Amino acid sequence: MSATLLRIHPDNPPQNRIAQAVEVLRNGGVIIYPTDTVYGLGCDIHNARAVEKLCRIKGIHPDKANLSFICSDLSHITDYANGITTPVYKVLKKALPGPFTFIFEASTKAPRYGGVKRKTVGIRVPDNQICTTLVRELGNPIVSTSIHDEDEILEYSTDPDLIYEKYRPLVDLVIDGGFGNNIASTVVDCTNEDFDIIRQGAGDIEQYL
């Protein structure tokens, strides 16, 4: 198997190309796609087999995986997260779409992977047209993990052609949406309304508090 490389204009994604990527996701495929930070590895949130494949590619066990859910807007967030109070929601509304991953207590609707009920979920609404259009057309969030290496900034995490060379035997589709960034999202814990920063990345949450 060798992945398809699909070039999509980042500011004006053509409908037919988005539809092509959505088809891959619906068929249980794993894709690499751009976000507003680093490139991500993603699949349909409701396809457990695809999630297992994604975890194998990343080299992690499904029940230990800290996977994010990519949403197209705030409307999906309450489906998978509990405890979103009005003050928290107001911050989300200002900060999203943007380079943040917000951690919440998982709702009963949050999918189980590896048979494990999640205590928390990470939610993202990236400021990226390809990403949000993809999720909107799919009709539900995509499970995502970054292909960014946390230990060092690697060239392949920003250049779609190099990403394609590395991952083409492993995934079903690589979307080339231009060069990515090499700073991941800022991870913010909202489980106790304190907006604790777990990882400082591209976003500055202080300006929205």
Side-chain angles (χ1 to χ4, degrees):
M1 182 191 86
S2 183
T4 304
L5 181 63
L6 188 66
R7 300 190 195 276
I8 299 182
H9 195 283
D11 301 325
N12 190 17
Q15 182 61 38
N16 62 332
R17 300 209 162 196
I18 291 292
Q20 195 177 331
V22 167
E23 187 69 15
V24 172
L25 290 168
R26 286 206 178 116
N27 289 332
V30 174
I31 70 168
I32 290 177
Y33 64 97
T35 72
D36 53 353
T37 56
V38 298
Y39 267 78
L41 197 59
C43 65
D44 188 330
I45 192 173
H46 298 306
N47 193 315
R49 192 167 286 176
V51 174
E52 285 168 14
K53 180 179 174 182
L54 180 149
C55 289
R56 273 200 309 276
I57 293 167
K58 183 91 172 185
I60 47 179
H61 197 275
D63 62 4
K64 293 186 173 63
N66 290 319
L67 303 169
S68 302
F69 297 167
I70 302 275
C71 302
S72 57
D73 54 41
L74 291 175
S75 64
H76 274 135
I77 293 178
T78 48
D79 289 344
Y80 302 105
N82 285 335
I84 302 179
T85 60
T86 303
V88 170
Y89 188 81
K90 282 181 176 170
V91 173
L92 295 185
K93 209 162 174 182
K94 285 188 281 188
L96 296 174
F100 299 98
T101 302
F102 290 104
I103 308 292
F104 293 101
E105 183 188 315
S107 79
T108 52
K109 280 190 186 175
R112 299 180 180 210
Y113 304 123
V116 175
K117 183 180 181 332
R118 289 192 180 271
K119 291 189 175 70
T120 59
V121 289
I123 305 283
R124 284 215 66 202
V125 183
D127 187 10
N128 178 284
Q129 287 285 351
I130 294 172
C131 202
T132 49
T133 309
L134 206 54
V135 174
R136 205 174 296 119
E137 289 300 315
L138 181 63
N140 55 254
I142 54 181
V143 170
S144 183
T145 182
S146 157
I147 63 166
H148 175 72
D149 187 313
E150 299 298 347
D151 299 323
E152 55 182 321
I153 294 165
L154 296 175
E155 196 178 14
Y156 70 75
S157 68
T158 63
D159 184 333
D161 287 323
L162 293 180
I163 291 169
Y164 177 65
E165 284 305 314
K166 180 179 172 69
Y167 285 95
R168 64 196 277 185
L170 303 172
V171 301
D172 301 281
L173 178 75
V174 176
I175 295 175
D176 175 357
F179 270 75
N181 294 323
N182 53 22
I183 300 172
S185 64
T186 295
V187 180
V188 185
D189 185 347
C190 298
T191 53
N192 54 12
E193 283 194 55
D194 285 346
F195 295 99
D196 292 327
I197 294 173
I198 294 174
R199 177 185 73 197
Q200 182 62 56
D204 176 14
I205 195 64
E206 294 296 328
Q207 61 182 320
Y208 302 109
L209 302 181

